Amino acid sequence: MSQFRTTTPHMLRANKEYQRQTLMGGLSGFESPVGLDRRDRIEALRTGDLGFVHSWDLNTSVDGPGTRMTVFMSGCPLRCQYCQNPDTWKMRDGKPVYFDAMMKKIERYSDVFQYTGGGITFSGGESMMQPAFVSRVFHESKKMGVHTCLDTSGFLGATWSDEQIRDIDLCLLDVKSGDEATYHTVTGGALQPTIDFGHRLARLGVRIWVRFVLVPGLTDSEQNVENVATICDGFHDAIDHIDVLPFHQLGRPKWHALRYDYPLEDAKGPGAALLERVRGQFRDHGFEVF
């Protein structure tokens, strides 16, 4: 493990913050440095020796095939109105985790991954904000024969090299809208980087599961959905399927707890008819849809 300078007054192994990070919290089992010198933190982020992590989970849900170790990284450049995890927006709110500690955790579950066809998934937040750490973990995981999956908006795709992208087996690509105006309303960002990243994934042979969150009154117009489908046409051969995800209010308590103004306070999830109409639009383009 790399050695860094530390601010020794904060390195008391018995202090409550250290115990929360390593024993009781969402990062149980990771070695997490406390009080690391700021200059060394910046350098360790640059080299991938350190990543800022919100939490992790072991699941068999929708974060890729098989049993997945899903790691939620801290930091995100977008501010999606329907975000489930606003507590991951700021990188500084995450806990620093050593690269070596992450790899030991992956190695611990490698037999489970092999047996179930699972692997490691990086989510967020936006894990592409920490390219050195995430891509380094992916590269070493591939050496171990572990399947790699990136859950992303693709908004920061231009910051990743082709070499880094080639270590991604599967991308869960969030295409949040089909036109720039709606995309900006939903996220505060721009749509084109997602399109560009999708084309790069397809060109480099990375499989894609497209995700589209259906919010009545926000992303549900027929034209917007048709635009999303047309975007997907552009990397059609790389897409395994499209997930139409119904909006829900599970993230609302976090917005309230953080005292953020929640823009979808009174929004409802889509009904069965709307869901079927939208899924039908994607099927009409030849996609398998869930």
Side-chain angles (χ1 to χ4, degrees):
M1 180 179 297
S2 301
Q3 298 299 312
F4 303 107
R5 292 175 294 277
T6 57
T7 50
T8 54
H10 302 292
M11 288 298 292
L12 300 176
R13 296 279 171 154
N15 73 36
K16 292 181 180 179
E17 175 62 15
Y18 183 86
Q19 292 174 5
R20 270 199 299 273
Q21 289 184 30
T22 58
L23 299 177
M24 300 170 62
L27 298 182
S28 176
F30 285 122
E31 183 174 354
S32 178
V34 178
L36 202 63
D37 180 271
R38 180 177 181 274
R39 179 173 54 176
D40 276 329
R41 288 192 182 214
I42 294 172
E43 176 62 14
L45 276 171
R46 186 190 68 80
T47 61
D49 286 310
L50 199 70
F52 282 83
V53 178
H54 173 270
S55 57
W56 74 281
D57 190 17
L58 199 68
N59 62 69
T60 55
S61 55
V62 293
D63 296 326
T67 299
R68 313 297 302 182
M69 176 179 167
T70 302
V71 180
F72 299 91
M73 303 298 288
S74 292
C76 185
L78 301 180
R79 293 295 180 265
C80 297
Q81 291 191 25
Y82 49 69
C83 181
Q84 297 181 66
N85 300 308
D87 48 338
T88 65
W89 284 350
K90 300 173 184 177
M91 192 183 299
R92 66 174 180 267
D93 290 341
K95 300 300 182 184
V97 169
Y98 280 124
F99 166 78
D100 289 351
M102 179 68 69
M103 294 313 304
K104 287 177 182 176
K105 179 68 73 173
I106 294 171
E107 184 176 13
R108 175 181 175 184
Y109 293 108
S110 60
D111 288 345
V112 175
F113 299 151
Q114 294 292 339
Y115 181 75
T116 66
I120 172 76
T121 297
F122 274 108
S123 187
E126 175 51 75
S127 50
M128 294 190 89
M129 280 191 72
Q130 303 185 57
F133 182 80
V134 173
S135 63
R136 188 176 171 190
V137 171
F138 276 168
H139 188 70
E140 292 303 311
S141 296
K142 292 275 284 183
K143 288 182 181 179
M144 296 165 53
V146 173
H147 183 273
T148 60
C149 178
L150 181 71
D151 180 5
T152 181
S153 69
F155 185 72
L156 299 175
T159 66
W160 281 52
S161 68
D162 285 359
E163 183 180 5
Q164 289 171 315
I165 292 173
R166 287 190 179 98
D167 283 325
I168 304 170
D169 289 317
L170 172 67
C171 182
L172 312 182
L173 184 62
D174 297 322
V175 183
K176 300 172 186 290
S177 172
D179 66 80
E180 287 285 358
T182 304
Y183 192 96
H184 184 74
T185 298
V186 172
T187 72
L191 168 62
Q192 191 61 44
T194 298
I195 300 173
D196 294 341
F197 188 61
H199 285 299
R200 287 183 70 199
L201 292 170
R203 175 173 59 83
L204 295 171
V206 178
R207 304 309 304 168
I208 302 172
W209 295 2
V210 168
R211 289 175 158 182
F212 172 70
V213 179
L214 179 59
V215 187
L218 185 61
T219 66
D220 63 334
S221 76
E222 289 192 33
Q223 188 58 60
N224 187 51
V225 174
E226 191 63 26
N227 290 344
V228 172
T230 300
I231 289 169
C232 294
D233 285 338
F235 27 91
H236 187 287
D237 290 343
I239 295 177
D240 290 336
H241 66 259
I242 295 176
D243 291 308
V244 178
L245 305 177
F247 167 74
H248 56 68
Q249 290 283 10
L250 294 180
R252 180 167 55 184
K254 288 186 178 182
W255 287 71
H256 291 176
L258 293 167
R259 298 185 178 180
Y260 293 159
D261 292 332
Y262 184 46
L264 299 178
E265 190 71 44
D266 299 318
K268 306 295 183 182
L274 176 57
L275 270 171
E276 185 52 35
R277 190 213 85 200
V278 171
R279 287 170 175 156
Q281 286 185 256
F282 287 119
R283 291 191 189 103
D284 288 344
H285 282 251
F287 296 110
E288 183 175 7
V289 183
F290 296 122

